[in-house]
Amino acid sequence: MVVNTFDRNSVFEEDYLYFYETLLTPERTQHEVDLICRLLDLKAGMSILDLACGHGRIANQLAARGYDVTGLDATVFFLEKAKQDAATNGVKVEYLQGDMRSLPFSDRFNYIINCFTAFGYFDDDENRSVLTQAYRALKAGGKLLIDIQNFSRVLQEFTPELITEREGNYMLARTRYDALTNRTHTERIIIRDGQVQRGHYFVRNFTFPEIRDWLLQTGFSKVEGYGYDGESFALDSRRMIVIASK
Protein backbone atom coordinates (compact mmCIF):
# COMPACT_ATOMS: atom_id res chain seq x y z
CA MET A 1 0.00 0.00 0.00
CA VAL A 2 1.29 3.49 -0.90
CA VAL A 3 0.97 5.84 2.06
CA ASN A 4 0.65 9.59 1.47
CA THR A 5 1.45 10.80 4.98
CA PHE A 6 4.66 11.65 6.80
CA ASP A 7 4.08 10.74 10.44
CA ARG A 8 7.03 12.69 11.85
CA ASN A 9 6.20 12.15 15.52
CA SER A 10 6.23 8.36 15.20
CA VAL A 11 9.29 8.24 12.93
CA PHE A 12 11.73 10.70 14.52
CA GLU A 13 11.94 9.60 18.13
CA GLU A 14 14.06 7.49 20.48
CA ASP A 15 13.64 4.25 18.51
CA TYR A 16 15.07 5.99 15.44
CA LEU A 17 18.30 6.76 17.30
CA TYR A 18 18.39 3.30 18.88
CA PHE A 19 18.35 1.46 15.56
CA TYR A 20 20.39 3.97 13.55
CA GLU A 21 23.13 4.24 16.16
CA THR A 22 24.95 1.26 14.63
CA LEU A 23 24.85 2.99 11.22
CA LEU A 24 25.70 6.53 12.32
CA THR A 25 29.06 5.63 13.82
CA PRO A 26 31.66 8.16 15.04
CA GLU A 27 33.79 7.12 12.06
CA ARG A 28 31.01 7.93 9.62
CA THR A 29 30.36 11.27 11.29
CA GLN A 30 34.07 12.10 11.15
CA HIS A 31 34.18 11.27 7.45
CA GLU A 32 31.13 13.41 6.69
CA VAL A 33 32.33 16.40 8.72
CA ASP A 34 35.74 16.20 7.05
CA LEU A 35 34.06 16.14 3.65
CA ILE A 36 31.80 19.11 4.46
CA CYS A 37 34.82 21.13 5.60
CA ARG A 38 36.76 20.22 2.46
CA LEU A 39 34.01 20.73 -0.11
CA LEU A 40 32.92 24.06 1.39
CA ASP A 41 36.49 25.16 2.23
CA LEU A 42 35.34 26.24 5.67
CA LYS A 43 37.29 28.86 7.60
CA ALA A 44 37.27 29.34 11.37
CA GLY A 45 34.49 31.58 12.63
CA MET A 46 32.23 31.19 9.59
CA SER A 47 28.51 30.94 10.31
CA ILE A 48 26.77 27.66 9.47
CA LEU A 49 23.13 26.60 9.70
CA ASP A 50 22.58 22.85 10.05
CA LEU A 51 19.08 22.65 8.58
CA ALA A 52 17.18 19.64 9.96
CA CYS A 53 20.06 19.06 12.37
CA GLY A 54 18.47 16.09 14.12
CA HIS A 55 20.28 15.13 17.31
CA GLY A 56 23.30 17.33 16.55
CA ARG A 57 25.54 14.65 15.11
CA ILE A 58 27.10 17.01 12.55
CA ALA A 59 26.47 20.38 14.19
CA ASN A 60 28.31 19.57 17.42
CA GLN A 61 31.35 18.29 15.54
CA LEU A 62 31.48 21.44 13.41
CA ALA A 63 31.21 23.58 16.54
CA ALA A 64 34.10 21.65 18.07
CA ARG A 65 36.21 22.74 15.08
CA GLY A 66 35.60 26.41 15.78
CA TYR A 67 32.68 27.29 13.52
CA ASP A 68 29.70 29.43 14.52
CA VAL A 69 26.92 26.84 14.26
CA THR A 70 23.14 27.08 14.50
CA GLY A 71 21.03 23.93 14.37
CA LEU A 72 17.35 23.96 13.44
CA ASP A 73 14.98 21.00 13.63
CA ALA A 74 11.27 20.36 14.07
CA THR A 75 11.68 17.54 16.62
CA VAL A 76 11.97 18.56 20.28
CA PHE A 77 13.37 15.16 21.34
CA PHE A 78 16.24 15.44 18.85
CA LEU A 79 17.02 19.01 19.90
CA GLU A 80 17.19 18.07 23.58
CA LYS A 81 19.59 15.25 22.74
CA ALA A 82 21.69 17.64 20.66
CA LYS A 83 21.86 20.16 23.52
CA GLN A 84 22.85 17.46 26.01
CA ASP A 85 25.64 16.19 23.76
CA ALA A 86 26.88 19.74 23.16
CA ALA A 87 27.02 20.39 26.90
CA THR A 88 28.79 17.08 27.55
CA ASN A 89 31.44 17.89 24.94
CA GLY A 90 31.81 21.52 25.91
CA VAL A 91 30.77 23.02 22.58
CA LYS A 92 28.39 25.89 21.85
CA VAL A 93 25.61 25.54 19.28
CA GLU A 94 22.45 27.61 19.04
CA TYR A 95 19.66 25.05 18.74
CA LEU A 96 16.23 26.18 17.57
CA GLN A 97 12.95 24.42 16.96
CA GLY A 98 11.47 25.41 13.64
CA ASP A 99 10.11 24.46 10.23
CA MET A 100 12.51 24.45 7.28
CA ARG A 101 9.69 25.79 5.10
CA SER A 102 9.59 29.01 7.12
CA LEU A 103 12.99 30.09 8.40
CA PRO A 104 13.40 33.12 10.71
CA PHE A 105 16.59 34.25 8.97
CA SER A 106 17.64 36.61 6.20
CA ASP A 107 21.22 37.11 4.89
CA ARG A 108 22.66 35.51 8.03
CA PHE A 109 24.76 32.46 7.18
CA ASN A 110 27.88 31.80 5.14
CA TYR A 111 26.80 28.19 4.69
CA ILE A 112 23.74 26.00 5.13
CA ILE A 113 24.02 22.22 5.28
CA ASN A 114 21.22 19.67 5.03
CA CYS A 115 22.49 16.15 5.65
CA PHE A 116 21.44 12.49 5.75
CA THR A 117 18.50 12.77 3.34
CA ALA A 118 16.65 15.49 5.26
CA PHE A 119 15.25 17.05 2.08
CA GLY A 120 12.17 15.88 0.17
CA TYR A 121 9.70 15.39 3.02
CA PHE A 122 6.91 17.55 1.54
CA ASP A 123 4.99 18.05 -1.68
CA ASP A 124 6.94 19.65 -4.52
CA ASP A 125 5.74 23.21 -3.86
CA GLU A 126 6.82 22.95 -0.24
CA ASN A 127 10.11 21.27 -1.14
CA ARG A 128 10.83 24.22 -3.42
CA SER A 129 9.93 26.58 -0.58
CA VAL A 130 12.67 24.97 1.54
CA LEU A 131 15.20 25.95 -1.13
CA THR A 132 13.77 29.48 -1.31
CA GLN A 133 14.03 29.83 2.47
CA ALA A 134 17.63 28.60 2.44
CA TYR A 135 18.51 31.03 -0.34
CA ARG A 136 17.07 33.92 1.66
CA ALA A 137 18.94 32.88 4.82
CA LEU A 138 22.32 32.84 3.06
CA LYS A 139 24.62 35.82 2.79
CA ALA A 140 25.74 36.95 -0.66
CA GLY A 141 28.28 34.41 -1.91
CA GLY A 142 27.03 31.78 0.54
CA LYS A 143 26.58 28.12 -0.27
CA LEU A 144 23.96 25.44 0.39
CA LEU A 145 25.05 21.80 0.73
CA ILE A 146 22.43 19.06 0.43
CA ASP A 147 23.35 15.43 1.12
CA ILE A 148 20.73 13.00 -0.20
CA GLN A 149 20.41 9.54 -1.66
CA ASN A 150 21.74 8.83 -5.13
CA PHE A 151 18.48 7.93 -6.88
CA SER A 152 20.14 5.57 -9.36
CA ARG A 153 21.54 3.58 -6.41
CA VAL A 154 18.10 3.60 -4.78
CA LEU A 155 16.67 1.89 -7.85
CA GLN A 156 19.62 -0.47 -8.33
CA GLU A 157 19.55 -1.63 -4.71
CA PHE A 158 15.81 -1.30 -4.07
CA THR A 159 14.67 -3.54 -1.22
CA PRO A 160 10.89 -3.73 -0.65
CA GLU A 161 11.32 -5.17 2.84
CA LEU A 162 14.26 -4.65 5.17
CA ILE A 163 14.69 -5.97 8.72
CA THR A 164 17.17 -4.45 11.17
CA GLU A 165 17.89 -6.30 14.43
CA ARG A 166 19.54 -4.98 17.55
CA GLU A 167 19.66 -6.77 20.91
CA GLY A 168 16.66 -8.89 20.05
CA ASN A 169 14.61 -5.90 18.91
CA TYR A 170 13.52 -5.35 15.31
CA MET A 171 12.84 -2.53 12.88
CA LEU A 172 10.93 -3.56 9.76
CA ALA A 173 10.73 -1.22 6.77
CA ARG A 174 8.25 -1.95 3.99
CA THR A 175 8.95 0.37 1.07
CA ARG A 176 7.18 1.04 -2.20
CA TYR A 177 8.33 3.26 -5.05
CA ASP A 178 5.82 5.53 -6.78
CA ALA A 179 7.07 6.34 -10.30
CA LEU A 180 4.40 9.03 -10.77
CA THR A 181 5.75 11.17 -7.90
CA ASN A 182 9.32 9.83 -7.66
CA ARG A 183 8.74 9.11 -3.99
CA THR A 184 9.64 6.12 -1.89
CA HIS A 185 6.90 5.44 0.68
CA THR A 186 7.81 3.46 3.78
CA GLU A 187 5.85 1.85 6.58
CA ARG A 188 8.15 1.39 9.57
CA ILE A 189 7.29 -1.17 12.23
CA ILE A 190 9.24 -1.20 15.49
CA ILE A 191 9.16 -4.29 17.73
CA ARG A 192 11.07 -3.40 20.87
CA ASP A 193 10.83 -4.64 24.43
CA GLY A 194 7.56 -6.39 23.61
CA GLN A 195 5.93 -3.24 22.22
CA VAL A 196 4.92 -2.60 18.59
CA GLN A 197 4.86 0.85 17.00
CA ARG A 198 4.13 1.85 13.42
CA GLY A 199 4.97 4.97 11.46
CA HIS A 200 4.81 6.13 7.85
CA TYR A 201 7.06 8.43 5.89
CA PHE A 202 8.03 9.26 2.34
CA VAL A 203 11.03 10.81 0.62
CA ARG A 204 11.02 12.63 -2.71
CA ASN A 205 13.92 11.37 -4.85
CA PHE A 206 15.89 13.48 -7.32
CA THR A 207 18.25 13.03 -10.20
CA PHE A 208 21.10 15.52 -10.26
CA PRO A 209 19.76 17.45 -13.30
CA GLU A 210 16.38 17.85 -11.61
CA ILE A 211 17.61 19.21 -8.30
CA ARG A 212 20.20 21.34 -10.14
CA ASP A 213 17.40 22.93 -12.15
CA TRP A 214 15.30 23.52 -9.04
CA LEU A 215 18.22 25.29 -7.37
CA LEU A 216 18.99 27.44 -10.41
CA GLN A 217 15.30 28.37 -10.64
CA THR A 218 15.44 29.37 -6.97
CA GLY A 219 18.18 31.89 -7.79
CA PHE A 220 21.42 30.07 -7.10
CA SER A 221 24.10 30.89 -9.67
CA LYS A 222 26.05 27.62 -9.74
CA VAL A 223 25.33 24.01 -8.74
CA GLU A 224 27.91 21.23 -8.38
CA GLY A 225 27.51 17.50 -7.71
CA TYR A 226 29.76 15.20 -5.69
CA GLY A 227 29.77 11.65 -4.39
CA TYR A 228 30.19 10.44 -0.80
CA ASP A 229 33.98 10.65 -0.91
CA GLY A 230 34.08 14.01 -2.65
CA GLU A 231 34.51 12.60 -6.14
CA SER A 232 32.59 14.05 -9.08
CA PHE A 233 29.04 12.73 -8.90
CA ALA A 234 28.48 9.58 -10.97
CA LEU A 235 25.79 6.98 -11.55
CA ASP A 236 27.29 4.63 -8.95
CA SER A 237 28.18 7.23 -6.30
CA ARG A 238 27.21 6.07 -2.83
CA ARG A 239 25.28 9.32 -2.16
CA MET A 240 24.62 12.61 -3.93
CA ILE A 241 26.05 15.78 -2.45
CA VAL A 242 24.84 18.96 -4.10
CA ILE A 243 26.48 22.34 -3.52
CA ALA A 244 24.65 25.47 -4.70
CA SER A 245 26.33 28.90 -4.66
CA LYS A 246 24.36 32.11 -4.14
Side-chain angles (χ1 to χ4, degrees):
M1 179 180 65
V2 174
V3 178
N4 293 303
T5 59
F6 195 122
D7 190 4
R8 180 172 56 85
N9 290 331
S10 66
V11 172
F12 297 137
E13 36 67 75
E14 199 275 332
D15 286 329
Y16 174 96
L17 297 184
Y18 173 79
F19 283 101
Y20 276 93
E21 186 176 18
T22 56
L23 175 65
L24 300 176
T25 62
E27 292 76 19
R28 173 170 181 162
T29 299
Q30 181 78 19
H31 171 86
E32 293 175 358
V33 172
D34 286 345
L35 184 62
I36 289 167
C37 292
R38 177 160 60 90
L39 290 179
L40 295 179
D41 191 24
L42 297 183
K43 307 298 183 186
M46 285 186 167
S47 57
I48 303 169
L49 171 63
D50 188 347
L51 186 59
C53 63
H55 60 291
R57 182 176 67 95
I58 300 292
N60 288 341
Q61 289 297 315
L62 287 171
R65 298 189 184 197
Y67 305 115
D68 177 13
V69 183
T70 299
L72 183 140
D73 202 275
T75 304
V76 173
F77 170 75
F78 280 179
L79 291 170
E80 290 303 315
K81 181 71 164 57
K83 292 175 184 177
Q84 292 169 9
D85 288 352
T88 298
N89 291 287
V91 298
K92 182 180 178 182
V93 178
E94 181 186 17
Y95 282 112
L96 303 171
Q97 183 185 14
D99 189 324
M100 66 174 73
R101 295 166 292 183
S102 180
L103 298 180
F105 311 115
S106 180
D107 302 315
R108 175 169 169 180
F109 300 100
N110 298 112
Y111 300 101
I112 296 177
I113 61 172
N114 177 262
C115 299
F116 200 56
T117 315
F119 179 71
Y121 293 166
F122 313 110
D123 65 35
D124 278 1
D125 287 342
E126 291 179 310
N127 287 327
R128 284 180 180 271
S129 75
V130 173
L131 302 182
T132 300
Q133 291 291 303
Y135 183 87
R136 185 171 65 87
L138 282 169
K139 297 179 179 179
K143 294 184 179 182
L144 167 66
L145 180 150
I146 301 176
D147 158 44
I148 53 179
Q149 299 177 104
N150 175 2
F151 181 49
S152 66
R153 287 285 292 263
V154 171
L155 293 181
Q156 292 169 26
E157 302 173 359
F158 186 75
T159 305
E161 296 189 351
L162 180 66
I163 299 175
T164 302
E165 179 184 2
R166 183 180 181 190
E167 300 171 330
N169 301 298
Y170 296 89
M171 178 173 67
L172 292 74
R174 295 174 173 168
T175 302
R176 301 290 181 266
Y177 169 62
D178 183 352
L180 295 177
T181 60
N182 215 11
R183 289 177 176 178
T184 46
H185 296 256
T186 301
E187 178 188 20
R188 196 188 73 175
I189 305 169
I190 300 292
I191 304 172
R192 183 179 177 192
D193 299 330
Q195 302 296 315
V196 178
Q197 296 189 46
R198 296 173 182 266
H200 300 94
Y201 64 92
F202 61 80
V203 176
R204 171 67 152 87
N205 297 283
F206 294 87
T207 63
F208 177 76
E210 184 180 27
I211 196 167
R212 176 200 61 203
D213 290 349
W214 277 30
L215 288 160
L216 292 174
Q217 291 160 9
T218 299
F220 288 95
S221 61
K222 180 182 178 182
V223 182
E224 301 167 287
Y226 299 91
Y228 186 70
D229 294 315
E231 76 279 10
S232 294
F233 179 69
L235 195 65
D236 62 348
S237 293
R238 180 175 165 187
R239 294 185 65 79
M240 180 166 67
I241 299 173
V242 182
I243 298 180
S245 302
K246 183 172 180 180

